[in-house]
Structures are given as C-alpha cells and as structure tokens.
Amino acid sequence: MRAFLILHGWDNHRPPGHWQYELAAALRERGERVVYPQLPEAATPDVDAWRAAAAEALREAAADGARVTVLCHSLACLLWLGARPREAAVERVLLVAPPSPGFVSGHAEIAAFAQLPVSRPDGALIVASDADPYCPEGAERAFGAPLGIPVVTIPGGGHLERTAGYGEWPSVLAWCLDPGAAIVAR
C-alpha cells in the first residue's frame, strides 16, 4: 500500500489551480491515499506548529503500513529538510522550489525556518527553476551540492507555482505513480 503526503508553502491556502491541489485531486481520482493538510497559520507560520502538523499528517498517511511519498513545495521543503519527522514509512521525497535560507531569513514571518539545521532525507529529489526569486543562488548551489541531493532544473519556471503556470503538472503525477518517470517542465 502507498500514500502521498503533500505539504504546502508559506501563505498557501491550497488554492484550486496550484499544482499541489491538482495533483491531490488526480491521485484521489486514481484511488490513491492522499493527505494534504492545511498547515496552521500559513501567512505567519510557526516552525513548531508546522512540525507538529506535518508529523500528524505523516502518521495519517502511513497508517496501515503504507509507504509514503512526500511532496513539499517552497517553505515546506525547509520544514522537511530541517524539522521533518523521522519516519521509516517515508519512501521518497520530492522537494519543489525550496527557498534559500538567505531569502527566508530576510522575512520576519518565516525567518525561523532559516535557522533549521538541514540534513539530507533518504530518497530525496529536488525540482527547482533556474529563475526562482525565492532561491536566487539556485537550488543546486543552496541544497543539491551541499546535501548531495539530485536536482532537476526547470528553465524559466519561476517559483513553480500557479502564477508561473504550474497547475496540472503531468510529469509530477507520472513520477508519483512511477518512480522512474522524469519530471519536466509543465
């Protein structure tokens, strides 16, 4: 049995049209178990509250021995890298558009996330744009090389969210269903 845990980023209230919302719907239509919580106080997140909510959501996803694929966007990437629940049920992790600690530390509402000591999760893959204003130095430099995580770079994709054109994202759905599938630009 498998399950998918989807964690959103800063100020994201899981709007229709965002790739995570569309992915959750597509997976559910296929009969997959999907846990996609609204993290508390999305506009002014608290590390401990988000950590607790993510741990509870992971327990729900891993119920009945399910193997879990975690999909994080933006600030949830830093949460997972720095404060993730340690859980053997997690099989794969997709980190999409992680913001750099330098960017995060410059915003009082989320600065505490920049202080988390990041480490490499097993089975992780980063997908990021080469034009993400939230990670100006690039995901390879900020996370890939230092943590030894493979990075797929999407040319000109911005922050890989709804306003950048990332609603339905067929290759992410394909990757969820088949770990060997490549993730490409929408």
Side-chain angles (χ1 to χ4, degrees), residues 39-60:
L39 297 173
E41 305 297 327
T44 55
D46 175 79
V47 171
D48 292 331
W50 273 34
R51 180 185 293 132
E56 179 57 34
L58 179 57
R59 279 190 292 277
E60 181 182 342

Side-chain angles (χ1 to χ4, degrees), residues 27-46:
L27 289 168
R28 286 179 180 133
E29 286 173 9
R30 287 164 174 76
E32 300 289 348
R33 178 188 297 178
V34 178
V35 178
Y36 182 26
Q38 176 64 62
L39 297 173
E41 305 297 327
T44 55
D46 175 79

Side-chain angles (χ1 to χ4, degrees), residues 108-170:
E109 306 94 320
I110 57 173
F113 287 80
Q115 303 307 312
L116 294 172
V118 298
S119 63
R120 178 180 189 240
D122 292 335
L125 174 66
I126 295 172
V127 176
S129 167
D130 61 359
D132 188 345
Y134 296 91
C135 191
E137 65 269 56
E140 176 64 38
R141 183 172 173 193
F143 301 101
L147 297 175
I149 301 173
V151 176
V152 172
T153 302
I154 304 291
H159 194 51
L160 300 174
E161 41 70 43
R162 189 172 57 157
T163 63
Y166 282 82
E168 289 186 18
W169 196 351

